Amino acid sequence: MRKLTISLLLLMMLTGCWSSEELNDQAFIGVLIIDSNDDGIEVTFGVPLTTNLASGETSGSASGGEVFGYFSRTAPTLEEAIQKVQGDLSRRANIGQNRNIVVGRRFAEEGITPVLELAARNPNIRMNTNMFLVDGYAKDEVAKATVTSERFFISLLNKYVEHRTVLQTTIKDLMLSKASGGDGLLPIIKFSDASEGAMVGKSSTVGTGGAAIIKKGKMVEPILTPDQTSAAQSIRIN
């Protein structure tokens, strides 16, 4: 009887954390988009709309509508903007699963330091999160883009990094270059006018560009061409 009681107690200890949070109560952030405008910093959460997803359907269509949603708010600081977007969501934002941050050109020119400082203070933001630059207003470009080869825009970014199509730059890389006084590189995601026959409601396609130079936390000229970026990527790998 004593052995049975001990066995039952051990089994009860294996049932998992009794304070776990239901997955249905979380919004998993797929991409974090940051822009600067005249009113401050605009933060956009790119969130897969799980209620609209259905197996076998292609990107941009689902039985209940779009399969990816964008939620944006503007505030004087990055932290305030993030809090405002969280307040608009019906679920708790889970930023710990995010692997990609996309920033607009104006934000990069004014300085990416707020992102680095936020990552240093927030343990939910991973140091190996990839960062990309859009030569324009990032939210507008990403939201209207057509992604044909992957289901989601975030999947495309992940593939670019996995196959070394772009120069991989993480938050940690930019932190180290800023701390050492060196220059960092930010890979550019290029958006081009869509050709005839593109998906209705979409106006551009996604591709890779060169890279922007980050000096003391701010983007400076000139922008590296794709060939120059490839050379820099080869040097880094070797």
Side-chain angles (χ1 to χ4, degrees), residues 75-94:
T77 66
L78 180 59
E79 291 87 345
E80 290 180 64
I82 290 176
Q83 291 174 1
K84 284 187 175 182
V85 181
Q86 170 64 85
D88 291 339
L89 297 176
S90 59
R91 302 183 181 191
R92 179 179 176 274
N94 187 327

Side-chain angles (χ1 to χ4, degrees), residues 3-238:
K3 292 182 178 180
L4 179 61
T5 302
I6 294 175
S7 299
L8 290 174
L9 289 173
L10 291 174
L11 288 174
M12 291 176 65
M13 293 174 64
L14 297 175
T15 57
C17 179
W18 44 269
S19 61
S20 61
E21 186 175 4
E22 290 292 338
L23 292 178
N24 289 336
D25 293 333
Q26 299 185 60
F28 293 95
I29 309 305
V31 61
L32 181 63
I33 305 172
I34 307 173
D35 289 290
S36 284
N37 55 42
D38 293 338
D39 297 321
I41 297 177
E42 181 175 22
V43 169
T44 302
F45 287 172
V47 183
L49 304 178
T50 54
T51 55
N52 289 346
L53 290 173
S55 60
E57 292 172 333
T58 59
S59 173
S61 65
S63 57
E66 292 290 336
V67 296
F68 208 83
Y70 297 96
F71 303 87
S72 304
R73 289 297 296 270
T74 302
T77 66
L78 180 59
E79 291 87 345
E80 290 180 64
I82 290 176
Q83 291 174 1
K84 284 187 175 182
V85 181
Q86 170 64 85
D88 291 339
L89 297 176
S90 59
R91 302 183 181 191
R92 179 179 176 274
N94 187 327
I95 202 171
Q97 299 297 318
N98 179 50
R99 294 294 182 275
N100 301 294
I101 296 178
V102 180
V103 301
R105 175 165 185 153
R106 179 172 172 178
F107 178 81
E109 290 175 336
E110 293 177 356
I112 63 170
T113 300
V115 177
L116 307 184
E117 292 177 344
L118 178 65
R121 295 192 302 268
N122 191 330
N124 292 323
I125 300 179
R126 298 171 182 264
M127 291 293 105
N128 62 350
T129 299
N130 300 308
M131 290 194 64
F132 302 90
L133 172 73
V134 170
D135 190 9
Y137 206 80
K139 182 195 74 172
D140 293 344
E141 295 289 352
V142 172
K144 69 183 182 182
T146 299
V147 180
T148 56
S149 59
E150 299 293 338
R151 188 171 177 83
F152 299 120
F153 174 72
I154 56 173
S155 301
L156 192 68
L157 297 182
N158 293 335
K159 291 294 184 181
Y160 282 161
V161 171
E162 179 183 347
H163 298 300
R164 296 180 178 176
T165 307
V166 298
L167 179 74
Q168 182 181 18
T169 297
T170 65
I171 290 177
K172 182 180 179 180
D173 294 331
L174 293 171
M175 282 183 170
L176 291 175
S177 63
K178 187 173 185 294
S180 64
D183 298 340
L185 293 176
L186 206 54
I188 296 175
I189 299 301
K190 183 179 179 182
F191 295 86
S192 305
D193 291 338
S195 59
E196 293 183 6
M199 297 173 63
V200 177
K202 305 292 184 179
S203 58
S204 65
T205 55
V206 188
T208 59
I213 300 173
I214 304 297
K215 183 183 292 290
K216 296 182 180 179
K218 296 184 178 181
M219 174 183 168
V220 297
E221 297 288 351
I223 291 178
L224 299 184
T225 65
D227 288 341
Q228 291 171 330
T229 304
S230 296
Q233 185 176 16
S234 299
I235 293 173
R236 179 184 290 185
I237 293 174
N238 295 330

